Amino acid sequence: MSERILEMNSITKTFPGVKALDDVNLDVRKGEIHALIGENGAGKSTLMKVLSGVHPYGTYEGDILFQDNRCEFKNINQSEELGIVIIHQELALIPELSIAENIFLGNEQATKGVINWNKTIIETRALLKKVRLNVDPEEKIKNLGVGQQQLVEIAKALSKKVKLLILDEPTAALNEEDSENLLQLLKEFREQGMTSILISHKLKELLKVSDSITVLRDGQTIRTYRRTEEEVTESMIIKEMVGRDLTELFPDRVYNVKDKVVFEVKDWSAYHPLDVERQILHNVNLHVKEGEIIGIAGLMGAGRTELAMSLFGKSYGKKITGTIIKNGKEVSFKTVDQAIKNGVAYVSENRKEFGLILIDDVKNNLTLANLDRISKHNVLNTSKEVVEAENMKQRMNVKTPSIQQKVVNLSGGNQQKVVLGKWIFTDPDVLILDEPTRGIDVGAKFEIYKIINDLAEKGKSIIMISSELPELVGMCDRIYTLCEGEITGDIAAKDATQETLMTYMTQKGRS
Amino acid sequence: MEGLKQLLSNNVRKFGMIIALIGIALLFQILTDGILLTPLNVTNIIMQNSYIIVLAIGMMLIIITGEIDLSVGSVAAFVGAVAGVLMVTMDFPVFAGILICLAIGAIIGAWQGFWVAYVNIPSFIVTLAGMLIFRGLTLVVLQGQTIAPFPDGFRGLSSAFVPDVFGGEGEIQLFTVVVGIVLSVVYILSELKIRRTDLKYDFKTISFPLFIVKLVLFTIVINLFTYVLAQYEGIPYVLIVLFVLIIGYTFVMNKTVIGRHIYAVGGNANAAQLSGIKTKKMKFWVFVNMGVLAALCGMIFAGRLNAATPQAGNLFELDAIAAAVIGGASFTGGVGTVFGAVIGALVMGVLNNGMSLMGIGIDWQQAIKGLVLLAAVAFDVLNKNK
């Protein structure tokens, strides 16, 4: 059991402005299930991309040894040839093709370019049997459930003579029964001598099946537990995952929290826009006072962004029910436009896709959400626009040579300041900030925090969604925890530790 | 000098096409032994290309929102046919006939806009269908025949000239010269006003000598142009229509909330939607607008031909798309100017006209135009990758 199959030594990977991996070591033994765990952004996926050749040799530092051979993968094909197969979080199957076609895609069972369909079907049938999926090999992928698709992915991996199987959040989208099946399957593979690396947020699951656990935090290896050698508990892992120094990371704040509740959400429910049977949000209740900063904590897939977007002019979901009360009066926004006019702003977690018009300049982006402010009878006052945009640029401290600069040329932090500025320009009472500091460096984070504190001091109500628990604890007055579309906790920040939050975030129905 | 360099490097694309247009014009001026820029031919170029310019303006808006319209040629033919039936066969008054035709254009635009914006069918498909539908309906309306001739009032739209109110005798049309002078005064005053506001707000401005050079240059161009026209018959009515359209649409795109919204929808529809812009409504109205302009194009063309024919407007959509693309539109949306579309249409127009004057056959003309289109876009792509 203790023979080594994979060794990754001192892996360092930098993206422009961010060190994603910093001297990471990973040591996987043959025939084990090795769990890789860490908060969002800790570097798990990046590490696996380095291993599989998505980030090719030369773009990172450090060594990879697989079965005691040094590996320098230039692309994903080279790693697959050696039997390293990764199954990504977003499944990479083609919905319109059959199971058999998908499994042998790029690896067609052909002689001289002509596909041998009989062989393809027979082999697929054998593979499906191994993953205990009892469906017709010629069924189209789009007719399968998520759990079944996951199994097809695994069958596809098996077809490539896999030696090391990497699963990135395989159970995130699965229900309990499917998850259970999948884990059972992994155990069986282990009996047959296969090695797997399992990335997951679900601690219970990991503890159930894994032999070793490596914890990553902020792009560094914290430690690796060998469960045959030592006792590991959930709380030990949580502590390693979140433990970091909070002092000095957050700017001082002048507290100005009033008793008046500005924004209240009652019994808010919403269903998936495409799958109207699937309820994404279950009777969410929350409120925020004048000058208050509240946080929403939840793991990926808990429904954080869905909640924010459904509140913001019904930009997400079907069959939305529930009430919004603003300044004591019931309001309803059917469109984004109405939400903005009622003093609500939403800063998207994805600034490039949903926040900015990258090919446009700083000025036009800053004013876009509130052109009424700089126009009369629909005619723009472009001089006033320049003055207002210039003011906002200075207030947000956007580092750009001019407001005529295209935002695509700005750094992530400065882009984020432009998005924030754009929404402050609409003069909102309630700001919903979705991952306001994602993918920006520490310095820019601090500046964004200062802007947020400043807004709260001026009596704005802030709802802050974040995957970074320290950020929530450091910035908020109260924190709601969201788990699978339900609010599971409402915790005063002074009583909140990352450990308690993590517990509420992972356990539904505890509150 | 630094200022000038900055100005040029910031607007390579914009000036690039103007320079290309001037270059092509000069080239043909030499190749045709000076025929290209004679008063008669300049007037011809304007009138021959007027309907493509009208289409190109609408097409530019469509492409800015990230869509395409392949049906404009057929729509123009259909509206021309309806105009023929109304005004020739049924003796409708000209003015009422024109209004009805524009309304029909709007309805057609609304029909296509509905499928694109609200049913989410790709505009390529919707307008490809429209191309077939309206070509077919043209034949139905005309019953395969050509209808002619149109009443004089209708023909005037595309082939008459503004009379000389000063009754200028002889070689020069006095009125046209006066219009040139008035235009230059308006131009200089508006530039001065803009400069004054810029200075007031402490905006970046070009240096004063450079500013004067710019004023003088443009004043010369305006007056030279009107002087050339004055030597022939003066100002064609259709030029006034174009002038109003260009100024109007430039104003809408640069100076109004609607214009900003159109650019935003094309630049990033998701971000626009989350900024409170009604993206579907915007796309719908851009198609309605295209329908109206296609109708106008159809009428100008029918008037110029003095007949409504089943073949009218053939391949106009490709000329309009080419003009917009040469003029700086990008198929990913969000980029382009009305002025650029006009320049693009003129580049194609001057090429056509110059080659015809030289006696180059239609076969080679097509091939050369294709190469120019490809070269213009390649230039743009390479320039962006730098």
Side-chain angles (χ1 to χ4, degrees):
Chain A
M1 266 300 264
S2 62
E3 190 192 336
R4 225 178 241 159
I5 187 165
L6 172 75
E7 209 180 329
M8 297 180 82
N9 292 326
S10 310
I11 304 288
T12 299
K13 167 83 189 162
T14 36
F15 292 112
V18 192
K19 212 172 204 178
L21 296 174
D22 186 3
D23 197 21
V24 171
N25 297 304
L26 183 68
D27 184 349
V28 181
R29 295 172 186 181
K30 192 165 166 40
E32 70 169 356
I33 297 178
H34 194 114
L36 196 56
I37 191 161
E39 285 186 293
N40 299 342
K44 298 164 299 195
S45 296
T46 312
L47 185 65
M48 291 303 107
K49 282 180 182 164
V50 166
L51 172 59
S52 59
V54 174
H55 298 313
Y57 177 75
T59 63
Y60 60 88
E61 293 158 40
D63 295 319
I64 302 174
L65 292 166
F66 185 66
Q67 295 180 316
D68 296 324
N69 293 317
R70 245 178 82 94
C71 301
E72 298 176 357
F73 300 129
K74 290 197 182 60
N75 54 47
I76 202 158
N77 293 342
Q78 294 185 351
S79 63
E80 284 190 353
E81 238 161 67
L82 288 187
I84 303 176
V85 179
I86 182 163
I87 297 177
H88 290 280
Q89 214 168 326
E90 304 86 19
L91 299 178
L93 298 170
I94 299 171
E96 289 293 338
L97 294 184
S98 73
I99 297 176
E101 285 168 314
N102 265 289
I103 285 181
F104 288 104
L105 193 66
N107 178 27
E108 284 79 7
Q109 300 301 297
T111 37
K112 291 183 185 159
V114 178
I115 294 180
N116 183 342
W117 284 112
N118 288 340
K119 191 178 170 205
T120 306
I121 302 287
I122 291 165
E123 297 218 353
T124 304
R125 213 175 279 153
L127 288 167
L128 290 182
K129 203 170 173 192
K130 274 191 199 165
V131 298
R132 277 187 276 124
L133 184 60
N134 189 20
V135 290
D136 184 358
E138 294 186 81
E139 187 68 65
K140 280 189 181 175
I141 291 295
K142 64 172 181 184
N143 299 329
L144 303 184
V146 194
Q148 292 177 316
Q149 292 189 18
Q150 191 73 254
L151 293 175
V152 173
E153 280 273 19
I154 293 173
K156 185 175 176 183
L158 293 179
S159 79
K160 291 173 185 161
K161 310 279 179 286
V162 58
K163 293 194 184 106
L164 175 63
L165 180 66
I166 304 161
L167 297 125
D168 193 352
E169 297 271 1
T171 60
L174 302 189
N175 62 29
E176 241 157 77
E177 200 189 330
D178 286 343
S179 304
E180 193 61 42
N181 276 336
L182 186 82
L183 297 175
Q184 195 56 42
L185 201 60
L186 285 183
K187 278 192 192 168
E188 275 171 36
F189 289 159
R190 177 174 58 189
E191 305 303 316
Q192 294 157 19
M194 193 171 84
T195 318
S196 21
I197 296 177
L198 182 60
I199 301 175
S200 176
H201 278 303
K202 299 184 182 167
L203 290 181
K204 281 221 168 65
E205 255 175 42
L206 294 181
L207 285 169
K208 218 185 278 176
V209 297
S210 64
D211 304 299
S212 306
I213 299 173
T214 295
V215 181
L216 287 184
R217 188 209 306 152
D218 295 337
Q220 290 177 315
T221 333
I222 301 307
R223 67 171 293 183
T224 297
Y225 296 98
R226 302 287 173 193
R227 297 192 49 208
T228 45
E229 292 155 26
E230 58 199 314
E231 190 66 27
V232 187
T233 65
E234 210 171 314
S235 61
M236 283 164 73
I237 298 174
I238 290 179
K239 198 162 193 153
E240 297 284 12
M241 273 168 70
V242 296
R244 80 186 100 172
D245 204 6
L246 283 194
T247 48
E248 308 278 312
L249 271 177
F250 301 98
D252 290 332
R253 171 169 162 207
V254 181
Y255 285 87
N256 186 23
V257 183
K258 303 271 167 54
D259 283 334
K260 182 183 157 201
V261 173
V262 173
F263 190 74
E264 190 172 6
V265 177
K266 278 188 174 162
D267 292 327
W268 196 259
S269 296
Y271 290 79
H272 195 276
L274 299 176
D275 182 2
V276 286
E277 295 303 308
R278 203 163 124 209
Q279 192 168 1
I280 300 293
L281 299 168
H282 304 264
N283 299 315
V284 170
N285 287 289
L286 58 83
H287 68 271
V288 52
K289 295 175 190 161
E290 187 178 328
E292 191 181 32
I293 303 178
I294 64 159
I296 295 179
L299 294 170
M300 228 174 244
R304 302 167 305 185
T305 298
E306 290 81 354
L307 172 62
M309 301 243 306
S310 65
L311 291 173
F312 191 58
K314 307 202 167 161
S315 303
Y316 172 89
K318 285 255 165 70
K319 285 204 285 183
I320 299 171
T321 55
T323 42
I324 302 175
I325 297 163
K326 183 149 180 285
N327 292 328
K329 262 187 275 173
E330 190 178 326
V331 289
S332 109
F333 325 130
K334 290 198 185 61
T335 62
V336 172
D337 190 39
Q338 287 171 9
I340 295 172
K341 293 223 163 79
N342 275 287
V344 179
Y346 168 65
V347 177
S348 164
E349 61 176 334
N350 187 340
R351 59 179 166 266
K352 287 188 175 149
E353 289 280 327
F354 292 96
L356 293 168
I357 295 176
L358 291 172
I359 56 168
D360 215 339
D361 61 22
V362 172
K363 167 177 71 83
N364 289 0
N365 270 290
L366 281 173
T367 57
L368 184 65
N370 191 13
L371 289 172
D372 287 348
R373 180 157 155 189
I374 49 156
S375 64
K376 208 186 225 173
H377 310 302
N378 278 331
V379 176
L380 299 171
N381 181 341
T382 38
S383 307
K384 191 175 172 201
E385 181 179 26
V386 172
V387 173
E388 296 258 10
E390 190 67 46
N391 285 342
M392 188 54 81
K393 176 201 137 190
Q394 266 155 28
R395 184 170 161 200
M396 292 290 119
N397 196 17
V398 182
K399 290 179 194 77
T400 166
S402 117
I403 53 170
Q404 321 271 318
Q405 179 72 247
K406 297 211 184 325
V407 286
V408 70
N409 298 327
L410 302 184
S411 72
N414 283 306
Q415 286 182 352
Q416 190 65 22
K417 289 184 210 163
V418 173
V419 183
L420 260 179
K422 162 182 167 175
W423 288 106
I424 291 170
F425 191 71
T426 66
D427 199 20
D429 309 318
V430 182
L431 276 104
I432 307 174
L433 310 176
D434 198 350
E435 301 281 2
T437 63
R438 171 178 287 178
I440 62 180
D441 61 55
V442 181
K445 273 186 188 177
F446 193 81
E447 284 187 75
I448 301 256
Y449 294 146
K450 270 212 305 220
I451 294 167
I452 295 171
N453 282 346
D454 185 49
L455 288 167
E457 189 191 332
K458 291 198 172 108
K460 312 284 185 196
S461 306
I462 314 278
I463 300 173
M464 187 163 161
I465 298 170
S466 178
S467 301
E468 292 188 34
L469 297 181
E471 178 173 282
L472 290 178
V473 175
M475 290 292 298
C476 298
D477 300 307
R478 274 184 307 123
I479 300 167
Y480 290 98
T481 53
L482 196 62
C483 179
E484 293 172 38
E486 273 179 45
I487 296 280
T488 52
D490 173 3
I491 307 150
K494 61 179 191 314
D495 305 326
T497 62
Q498 295 171 58
E499 286 83 353
T500 52
L501 286 177
M502 189 60 95
T503 317
Y504 280 109
M505 279 155 62
T506 48
Q507 269 140 340
K508 202 169 139 184
R510 239 204 197 182
S511 55
Chain B
M1 212 48 221
E2 265 309 296
L4 187 67
K5 235 185 207 164
Q6 184 83 29
L7 204 69
L8 283 176
S9 66
N10 283 347
N11 299 289
V12 177
R13 178 75 216 205
K14 208 158 125 197
F15 288 111
M17 272 307 127
I18 295 176
I19 291 164
L21 178 61
I22 294 171
I24 291 169
L26 288 179
L27 178 74
F28 281 110
Q29 174 73 354
I30 294 163
L31 289 176
T32 58
D33 294 329
I35 301 175
L36 188 90
L37 295 181
T38 55
L40 165 67
N41 198 50
V42 169
T43 309
N44 258 339
I45 291 176
I46 293 166
M47 294 171 99
Q48 274 170 3
N49 291 293
S50 53
Y51 38 92
I52 295 297
I53 293 176
V54 171
L55 278 186
I57 292 171
M59 190 63 76
M60 185 54 109
L61 266 59
I62 295 264
I63 296 179
I64 287 173
T65 54
E67 304 293 340
I68 192 78
D69 191 339
L70 300 175
S71 70
V72 291
S74 297
V75 173
F78 176 69
V79 172
V82 172
V85 171
L86 286 177
M87 285 178 247
V88 180
T89 318
M90 296 168 72
D91 274 332
F92 256 65
V94 170
F95 188 66
I98 290 176
L99 283 185
I100 292 172
C101 286
L102 291 177
I104 290 172
I107 292 166
I108 293 173
W111 157 262
Q112 310 207 90
F114 165 76
W115 293 106
V116 173
Y118 294 105
V119 192
N120 262 331
I121 298 179
S123 52
F124 190 93
I125 303 298
V126 171
T127 59
L128 183 63
M131 184 174 164
L132 298 171
I133 294 170
F134 297 108
R135 181 61 63 187
L137 290 182
T138 307
L139 290 168
V140 172
V141 170
L142 292 176
Q143 293 171 329
Q145 308 289 309
T146 294
I147 297 180
F150 278 102
D152 282 350
F154 183 73
R155 287 177 56 205
L157 178 65
S158 50
S159 44
F161 296 84
V162 181
D164 194 345
V165 288
F166 302 117
E169 306 276 322
E171 298 292 292
I172 302 284
Q173 225 222 16
L174 210 57
F175 174 72
T176 309
V177 177
V178 173
V179 167
I181 293 166
V182 170
L183 276 182
S184 2
V185 171
V186 171
Y187 167 72
I188 291 171
L189 287 179
S190 72
E191 280 289 328
L192 281 173
K193 192 179 156 223
I194 291 170
R195 190 173 170 84
R196 211 174 316 128
T197 354
D198 283 358
L199 288 175
K200 189 175 120 196
Y201 286 109
D202 209 13
F203 294 165
K204 235 193 260 161
T205 46
I206 51 174
S207 66
F208 192 69
L210 203 62
F211 177 68
I212 294 297
V213 170
K214 183 181 157 196
L215 283 189
V216 171
L217 217 63
F218 275 86
T219 307
I220 290 174
V221 169
I222 292 171
N223 285 287
L224 210 61
F225 180 62
T226 48
Y227 182 71
V228 169
L229 290 181
Q231 285 175 298
Y232 185 59
E233 299 252 2
I235 299 170
Y237 280 112
V238 75
L239 184 61
I240 299 176
V241 173
L242 289 181
F243 185 76
V244 170
L245 287 180
I246 294 167
I247 299 288
Y249 277 93
T250 301
F251 178 79
V252 168
M253 293 308 282
N254 292 341
K255 280 282 203 174
T256 68
V257 173
I258 293 169
R260 200 55 77 70
H261 283 187
I262 291 175
Y263 278 112
V265 168
N268 183 346
N270 288 330
Q273 167 98 36
L274 277 184
S275 303
I277 294 169
K278 299 186 173 76
T279 50
K280 291 181 176 180
K281 198 169 141 192
M282 228 59 234
K283 281 197 173 169
F284 176 79
W285 283 105
V286 168
F287 270 93
V288 172
N289 174 68
M290 182 77 252
V292 172
L293 289 179
L296 181 59
C297 162
M299 287 189 284
I300 295 173
F301 185 74
R304 188 173 152 74
L305 216 60
N306 196 16
T309 75
Q311 296 84 28
N314 228 346
L315 298 183
F316 277 17
E317 59 279 345
L318 298 187
D319 280 342
I321 293 168
V325 169
I326 290 176
S330 152
F331 275 115
T332 47
V335 185
T337 60
V338 169
F339 188 66
V342 175
I343 297 292
L346 285 177
V347 167
M348 295 298 267
V350 171
L351 269 176
N352 271 337
N353 182 277
M355 288 191 291
S356 297
L357 289 178
M358 285 175 65
I360 296 176
I362 197 84
D363 41 5
W364 278 107
Q365 286 196 20
Q366 293 257 8
I368 290 168
K369 269 159 58 185
L371 284 175
V372 168
L373 173 64
L374 191 59
V377 179
F379 170 78
D380 192 33
V381 170
L382 294 175
N383 201 36
K384 254 182 220 153
N385 287 347
K386 240 188 268 173

